[in-house]
Amino acid sequence: MKLSFLLFGDTPDFRWTLVRQMGLKYAVAKLSPAITGKDGIWNYDVLERAKETFGENCLELVALEGDQMDMTNIKLGRTGRDGDIERYCRMLENMGRLGINVLCYNFMQTGWFRTARDVRERGGALVTGFSAEAASRLPDKPYAPIRREEVWENYEYFISRVLPVAESCGVKMCLHPDDPPVPSIEGVDRIFVSFEAIERAMSLSDSPSHCLTFCQGTYFTMGGDVSAFFRKWKHRVGFVHLRDIVGCASDFHETFHDNGPHDIPGMIRMYAEEGFDGLIRSDHVPTMAGEANDSPSYSMNGSLFGIGYIKGIMDAFKIRTE
């Protein structure tokens, strides 16, 4: 397995140094213009320079994660989506040329969503949480309502056009499930909220580029046998996100990797035993003492704990990592 770390932007800072000090060499990045202040990575020179910057800092940029551009027109099926899809395809082509072969993407109109970002956890650490009851009191989005079948139609339109390009470029498009997996938020329906929905998505194409991001925290909130689902679809999994939660889809909060109800060491061991050799990273960590809670779920102290915990488990089980 390739233990990796998510970094936002392409400007080196202390986080990049800490990643190297943790013994990691694989970087996953979000490089949207809103973060970098630069042109989009559908411009080859922009992505090439970003990859060079990571390399100059002893990190190998191997994957991109999240919306790398404004996906509103695509996800809502608005006028202008064809031009956006064209730019998306250019991005995939650039990724292929530069050997960045994994893209973790989602089709959430409201993104990963929480109703609280300062839930107290062990020792007063701060984590994010979600309450469907609290979410129901929020106003609808201006473009609501967006119904389930509309979202499916928009997704199928999008994936049918980008997958052939991804396949030709050798890029794995790894679908992230909707987080949280609830039917609707702010008047916008969400579709990737169950094992059955993920299987429906996978049935749309047997392309080797049509893959999954196995975000175990999200799958835990769906209920059911998460390990069995991984075993069934392991041939499509290109990326694993490691985190734990307390609660269910309608009411949960994040927790430390070692402080939840699920067998995280057992999950890591299962991934190895099933032959998974792709990217894996720590996800959604607490904000710990000494840090401002200005980047909920992505604090560095929590990340140091998470990576150390994961590396310890891998050492104990003699799981080979790169």
Side-chain angles (χ1 to χ4, degrees):
M1 288 185 275
K2 298 178 175 67
L3 190 55
S4 60
F5 197 90
L6 174 63
L7 291 163
F8 295 88
D10 58 354
T11 302
D13 61 14
F14 76 98
R15 297 171 184 84
W16 294 42
T17 302
L18 286 173
V19 170
R20 295 195 304 272
Q21 291 178 350
M22 286 187 283
L24 306 187
K25 65 179 181 179
Y26 293 115
V28 180
K30 184 170 183 179
L31 300 174
S32 65
I35 293 175
T36 65
K38 301 171 183 174
D39 196 6
I41 54 175
W42 52 87
N43 180 323
Y44 179 80
D45 292 342
V46 173
L47 186 55
E48 180 184 44
R49 182 58 194 140
K51 184 174 173 66
E52 289 172 350
T53 300
F54 279 93
E56 290 162 0
N57 287 271
C58 301
L59 295 172
E60 184 180 351
L61 180 59
V62 294
L64 301 178
E65 182 168 335
D67 289 350
Q68 307 294 324
M69 57 186 287
D70 185 347
M71 297 284 288
T72 304
N73 291 335
I74 293 173
K75 292 181 180 182
L76 298 181
R78 288 176 169 174
T79 301
R81 69 175 170 180
D82 288 336
D84 289 343
I85 288 174
E86 181 181 343
R87 281 186 285 275
Y88 199 100
C89 289
R90 290 208 302 271
M91 175 189 75
L92 292 170
E93 291 167 351
N94 294 341
M95 291 176 66
R97 287 176 64 186
L98 291 165
I100 305 168
N101 296 321
V102 173
L103 174 62
C104 171
Y105 77 102
N106 68 78
F107 217 73
M108 295 178 276
Q109 287 71 27
T110 48
W112 73 271
F113 193 94
R114 299 292 186 267
T115 54
R117 294 173 179 257
D118 56 357
V119 179
R120 295 279 173 178
E121 244 286 343
R122 186 174 66 194
L126 301 177
V127 298
T128 66
F130 176 78
S131 162
E133 192 277 329
S136 70
R137 299 195 300 269
L138 299 172
D140 285 352
K141 291 290 187 182
Y143 47 79
I146 303 294
R147 299 306 181 206
R148 180 173 177 272
E149 284 310 315
E150 283 184 77
V151 184
W152 272 112
E153 288 171 8
N154 294 337
Y155 176 71
E156 292 177 14
Y157 186 95
F158 163 72
I159 205 67
S160 68
R161 285 155 178 79
V162 300
L163 261 185
V165 178
E167 183 172 348
S168 70
C169 299
V171 175
K172 290 183 178 181
M173 291 189 60
C174 300
L175 173 64
H176 191 294
D178 290 356
D179 177 20
V182 294
S184 183
I185 293 176
E186 297 180 327
V188 181
D189 285 356
R190 295 158 81 84
I191 57 175
F192 297 123
V193 297
S194 67
F195 295 157
E196 293 76 17
I198 297 298
E199 292 185 328
R200 174 176 169 180
M202 290 296 99
S203 73
L204 297 175
S205 172
D206 60 2
S207 167
S209 287
H210 193 33
C211 298
L212 296 173
T213 295
F214 199 80
C215 179
Q216 65 179 33
T218 307
Y219 284 113
F220 287 152
T221 57
M222 290 181 189
D225 191 333
V226 177
S227 295
F229 191 73
F230 177 87
R231 291 186 180 98
K232 179 176 181 179
W233 291 100
K234 62 184 180 182
H235 61 292
R236 294 283 190 101
V237 175
F239 200 176
V240 169
H241 287 180
L242 288 168
R243 63 183 174 93
D244 204 0
I245 57 94
V246 176
C248 60
S250 61
D251 189 3
F252 69 88
H253 68 267
E254 315 272 7
T255 187
F256 288 89
H257 289 84
D258 68 332
N259 198 45
H262 302 97
D263 181 8
I264 303 303
M267 292 296 293
I268 294 172
R269 188 173 194 172
M270 183 268 295
Y271 297 139
E273 290 175 346
E274 293 298 323
F276 177 70
D277 61 358
L279 289 172
I280 189 166
R281 74 168 181 84
S282 172
D283 193 22
H284 289 204
V285 297
T287 298
M288 299 175 69
E291 289 189 302
N293 193 31
D294 53 5
S295 186
S297 292
Y298 297 105
S299 76
M300 282 309 297
N301 284 353
S303 295
L304 289 167
F305 177 90
I307 292 295
Y309 178 74
I310 292 164
K311 291 188 76 171
I313 291 168
M314 289 180 167
D315 283 349
F317 288 150
K318 297 183 174 15
I319 296 172
R320 182 175 176 274
T321 59
E322 297 181 31

